[in-house]
Amino acid sequence: MLVQILVLAVVLQLGSAQECGGFLGFMALTPDQLKKEIRSEVATLLSHDSLPEDGSEGEGDLRTVIESVVDAAIEKAVVNISDKIVDKVNSALISSEISMAVANLSDVVDRLVSSTLSQLHQLQLPGGTPSHPATSCREIKDLHPSSPSGHYWIRSSNGFSVQVYCDMTRSCGGITGGWMEVAKINMANSTNTCPAGLRMLTSPKRLCGINSDGPGCSSAVFSVQGIEYSRVCGKITGYQQKTPDAFYSYYANRRLTIDDRYVDGVSLTHGRNPRKHIWTFAAALHEVSAPFYANCPCTNVHHHIAAVVPPYVGRDYFCDTGSAHHYQFKFYPDDPLWDGRGCGPLNTCCTFNTPPWFMKQLPSSTTDDI
């Protein structure tokens, strides 16, 4: 162990002074000489194989930190020992003080080296530094499964290193960890604000909504910083306000495209002209059987629902309602949408596609913003 190397070497080296004639031998060691003796042994420690080689990634900063702390510890130890030598304390006590000082110094260095090596190990992993970026969060997770969630450096499609947050624990679509976080907006946190393109609502809940009081659409764009991806995982929580009608707009007008207002809810897409579908979050009127056109296809298993899902959506959607009975013109605060909960006995929307989390495998990799 590093501690053993340091303690044994320094004790033996300083112990040789006792052979010079006991107390006189100690008096011959000035503070500068004491520093030199201890420092020579510390130099051996700092050249240990476990530490980074000269010129290696992180070597300069980490080695400097170690040496500065060691220097401070040596200075403190030497002052204490020198004071006792000046006071002409007996040689046995001085020897004990030297051994104690060395042991304390060893503990300091041991803790510092352990911490530093741990930091160095993280820096030397793919994604640990801008000069050593990973190709993806998934690569980091595959190479080192115990890597914690946190910020890592990833190489973008244009060759630059960008720092992103990697979630190493989230399980989504049977895939655990290795997800790059693109957007996280928790409006229950009073310090968070709505993204550009949406407006903040503060009553009756703190939410993000469209930029109008009537029908319409508003968009927010989340950058992927030019990093290539092929899967998207996520969830959105919403609340029903008055009388949403799910896919009725498309039911009434089959010419609506993915760039039009085809759903009452949220459309998650990537790219533009045209947009490409990722996932749709539809908000329906209520759970009762009529009117059919404004409800989810999964609302009532005893009735055929006339709702028509657009072909560009397919089966990649969640559909939910906050109203278990006939609708009312009000806000429904107690049953969040698309959370996989609160469905009535005839409603299968809570199991269709297993909300609240979705996972979409894209047909091909892309660097499109979302």
Side-chain angles (χ1 to χ4, degrees), residues 107 141 146 166 174 205 224 237 307:
D107 290 340
K141 180 68 174 179
S146 61
C166 294
K205 278 184 175 290
V224 301
T237 300

Side-chain angles (χ1 to χ4, degrees), residues 87-157:
D87 292 339
K88 299 184 179 180
V89 181
N90 67 71
S91 60
L93 181 56
I94 294 175
S95 178
S96 175
E97 288 290 336
I98 291 175
S99 297
M100 185 180 298
V102 169
N104 290 338
L105 180 60
S106 300
D107 290 340
V108 170
V109 174
D110 185 48
R111 290 193 300 270
L112 182 65
V113 169
S114 295
S115 173
T116 302
L117 290 179
S118 176
Q119 296 177 46
L120 178 62
H121 174 68
Q122 291 297 322
L123 289 174
Q124 291 179 329
L125 295 176
T129 63
S131 59
H132 195 200
T135 58
S136 66
C137 294
R138 184 73 247 171
E139 180 193 31
I140 299 171
K141 180 68 174 179
D142 288 342
L143 290 176
H144 302 278
S146 61
S147 296
S149 297
H151 289 90
Y152 294 87
W153 292 93
I154 307 296
R155 181 182 293 107
S156 66
S157 59

